[in-house]
Amino acid sequence: MYFRITARALLTRIISGLIASAIVGYLIGQTFLVVSLVTIGLLAWHYSHLFKLIQWLWQGKSISPPQANGVWGRIYDGLYRRIRKQRQKQKQLNERIRKFRDGAEALPDAALVLSHELNILWGNKKASQLLGVRWPGDVGQRIDNLIRFPEFSKYLEDGDFESPCLIISPINTELQLELRMMAYGSDQILLLARDISKIQRLEEMRRDFVANVSHELKTPLTVVRGYVEMVQASDSALEPHWQKAFSTIETQVSRMDRLVEQLLVLSRVENNVDSDNHHQVDLSRLILTIVEDAQWLNQEKKHVIHSDIAPDISLEGNEHELKSACLNLLSNAIAYTPENGVIDVTLRIDGNKIRFSVKDNGPGIKPEHVNRLTERFFRVDKSRSRNTGGSGLGLAIVKHVLNHHHGELSIESDWQQGSEFIIFFKTL
Ligand code: ADP
């Protein structure tokens, strides 16, 4: 029921009440007394209801307000109506929160809601199993007080939440976790942690398998190659068809040998076995050596190799890996550019980055292939690559080396016009 009262109506009621009591008083000859008694009665009635209202508001246990007639009845009805509405809203809100929590509890990942200042607001059960963060016990704590890993602190400091952060579970050292953070609501952050131990173990098994197989293949290959060379070097003249057969065996064994060698390099780089071996590397000198080495690879095709190498550029890293990555780009340019092509090698500082580039005027790469070049065993043209002895592992090695050195590879290529492979490193 809706009740509406205007100031005018209220005033009219008071004045008519007073006039009525004045008339009654006049008729019995006690105008002042009657008006005073009526006014006092009215005041007493209002005060008694005010008293009831205060008592109900502060001490009352029931949600329904006291009963009354007249204007106080309307006031109590209005209050009761508001309370009911509020309760209904609260119920709906609770229902929504319950649904959200049920959803978050059903997640296979740990979920934490953090404030903008990284204080814990809420967490699901998985958060206590994977991260040791208990809800509501840890509410208000800063997340980096509970997850104390240097890599996590750096992740928070960098603020680049595009990529995940990998950590060991703070409560179970056998669990490897992948943490992701994302904006949530207007100024909150959602942290999700996933157990990736199984995936990591499988990945490790794959890497070990490749490394072991490659290693085991090396000995038989060396033996076969040794015998082939022995037969070829022997004095007794071989019949032409045997000569051809042995020369084919030698070529194929060399190819396999290169492939095995590259697989071993890739697994070394993937496993990051040389991660401790980082020191200051004179990149300018390293590139100069590579260009000199490349002249040896270039004997057949006779490309013109221009180099523009700025002096005194250095970088913190693994010299062996850096050399392998840079040489890979240059040997690809030599391998894929037809005879008498032009290759430009440059090293310079570009803004706050070190820029190393190898540009050729070879066949170029079609745009649809560019993004796949760093995949293992990806070759644009298998037959052309086979001729050059390519395995499709070179750029995969480059990618892993750059990952260890916070570097980026950018490939610019125009089909039939040439390609430019650019590496960017952060300056010190
Ligand atoms: P590969 O050992 O086959 O050279 P890479 O991973 O080094 O393997 O290169 C992958 C593929 O990228 C190559 O097979 C080749 O098709 C293409 N590619 C690499 N560099 C160049 C280049 N400079 N010009 C044209 N194609 C290239």
Side-chain angles (χ1 to χ4, degrees):
M1 184 181 54
Y2 185 71
F3 175 69
R4 194 181 146 91
I5 188 164
T6 60
R8 198 171 156 188
L10 193 68
L11 205 69
T12 318
R13 268 191 202 188
I14 294 170
I15 293 172
S16 22
L18 283 176
I19 293 174
S21 58
I23 292 171
V24 173
Y26 179 73
L27 290 177
I28 60 171
Q30 292 288 347
T31 314
F32 179 73
L33 186 70
V34 173
V35 170
S36 303
L37 281 175
V38 168
T39 313
I40 290 168
L42 210 61
L43 267 176
W45 183 69
H46 278 302
Y47 269 107
S48 81
H49 278 296
L50 268 179
F51 177 71
K52 273 189 196 167
L53 178 63
I54 290 170
Q55 263 204 332
W56 172 71
L57 283 176
W58 292 96
Q59 279 127 39
K61 295 216 166 56
S62 153
I63 64 148
S64 32
Q67 294 293 319
N69 297 322
V71 72
W72 279 100
R74 307 289 193 190
I75 290 172
Y76 291 146
D77 287 349
L79 278 172
Y80 187 56
R81 201 165 148 257
R82 270 182 186 258
I83 290 168
R84 269 205 347 244
K85 258 190 169 174
Q86 200 61 37
R87 285 200 133 202
Q88 226 163 357
K89 270 194 192 161
Q90 187 73 38
K91 231 173 145 181
Q92 283 169 354
L93 193 68
N94 286 348
E95 186 61 18
R96 264 186 225 162
I97 293 174
R98 196 183 57 76
K99 276 190 183 151
F100 162 78
R101 283 195 185 149
D102 287 350
E105 290 298 353
L107 278 177
D109 302 338
L112 285 176
V113 178
L114 308 175
S115 71
H116 190 64
E117 293 76 30
L118 301 178
N119 294 327
I120 296 163
L121 300 176
W122 183 81
N124 64 0
K125 276 201 198 88
K126 270 272 175 198
S128 82
Q129 290 164 8
L130 296 182
L131 297 166
V133 175
R134 285 162 299 109
W135 184 82
D138 290 327
V139 166
Q141 295 247 39
R142 255 184 80 101
I143 187 70
D144 44 353
N145 282 342
L146 299 177
I147 305 179
R148 291 172 164 273
F149 288 107
E151 53 270 48
F152 184 60
S153 307
K154 188 164 183 308
Y155 181 66
L156 292 179
E157 202 181 291
D158 292 351
D160 173 18
F161 300 142
E162 289 286 306
S163 44
C165 167
L166 303 186
I167 60 161
I168 307 278
S169 163
I171 53 163
N172 183 350
T173 47
E174 282 184 10
L175 297 185
Q176 304 225 31
L177 305 179
E178 181 190 82
L179 303 189
R180 283 185 180 274
M181 287 175 68
M182 56 216 81
Y184 176 67
S186 53
D187 64 344
Q188 288 170 354
I189 297 166
L190 180 67
L191 185 151
L192 293 176
R194 169 180 294 186
D195 177 7
I196 53 159
S197 322
K198 252 191 204 161
I199 303 171
Q200 294 284 85
R201 264 197 296 277
L202 280 174
E203 182 66 12
E204 235 166 72
M205 272 164 66
R206 181 194 63 76
R207 285 202 297 255
D208 287 352
F209 175 76
V210 174
N212 290 338
V213 168
S214 317
H215 197 73
E216 291 303 321
L217 278 174
K218 265 208 96 62
T219 322
L221 277 174
T222 316
V223 174
V224 174
R225 185 204 271 273
Y227 278 116
V228 171
E229 280 172 1
M230 202 175 86
V231 173
Q232 282 180 325
S234 73
D235 293 338
S236 50
L238 285 173
E239 285 182 38
H241 67 276
W242 279 118
Q243 269 181 20
K244 192 165 177 261
F246 275 106
S247 133
T248 311
I249 295 173
E250 207 233 330
T251 319
Q252 293 306 323
V253 167
S254 304
R255 251 193 85 201
M256 257 182 106
D257 206 30
R258 265 200 308 277
L259 179 62
V260 166
E261 199 53 56
Q262 282 216 300
L263 274 172
L264 282 171
V265 173
L266 182 60
S267 59
R268 263 185 91 79
V269 181
E270 263 189 327
N271 287 324
N272 204 3
V273 281
D274 294 323
S275 58
D276 296 340
N277 196 8
H278 276 219
H279 52 87
Q280 193 80 352
V281 178
D282 184 344
L283 206 58
S284 307
R285 192 187 49 75
L286 187 117
I287 304 294
L288 275 173
T289 336
I290 287 171
V291 176
E292 277 166 25
D293 290 354
Q295 300 300 351
W296 182 83
L297 293 171
N298 192 25
Q299 279 165 349
E300 248 180 61
K301 290 195 168 170
K302 304 199 169 38
H303 298 307
V304 179
I305 302 182
H306 296 298
S307 58
D308 180 8
I309 298 159
D312 303 326
I313 297 184
S314 48
L315 176 73
E316 179 84 19
N318 179 304
E319 182 157 2
H320 188 69
E321 286 190 0
L322 288 169
K323 185 171 179 180
S324 146
C326 298
L327 184 60
N328 226 301
L329 299 189
L330 187 50
S331 46
N332 272 354
I334 293 171
Y336 296 107
T337 306
E339 274 176 38
N340 302 317
V342 181
I343 297 172
D344 291 294
V345 181
T346 47
L347 177 73
R348 60 178 152 90
I349 298 285
D350 191 359
N352 60 351
K353 289 190 173 160
I354 298 170
R355 183 185 191 277
F356 167 69
S357 102
V358 178
K359 188 175 180 185
D360 63 56
N361 62 351
I365 301 152
K366 284 186 182 161
E368 64 265 31
H369 293 138
V370 170
N371 287 338
R372 300 198 55 198
L373 290 184
T374 54
E375 286 174 21
R376 283 182 212 115
F377 296 110
F378 181 80
R379 284 167 290 177
V380 172
D381 178 345
K382 296 225 167 24
S383 59
R384 188 173 76 193
S385 200
R386 204 168 290 129
N387 293 339
T388 61
S391 59
L393 294 174
L395 291 175
I397 295 173
V398 172
K399 187 181 88 176
H400 282 287
V401 170
L402 294 188
N403 280 349
H404 301 166
H405 293 84
H406 309 291
E408 283 165 38
L409 177 68
S410 155
I411 303 167
E412 289 170 13
S413 185
D414 288 320
W415 177 232
Q416 306 281 331
Q417 303 287 317
S419 325
E420 184 171 16
F421 286 74
I422 311 161
I423 293 179
F424 289 103
F425 294 109
K426 282 185 189 154
T427 42
L428 289 177

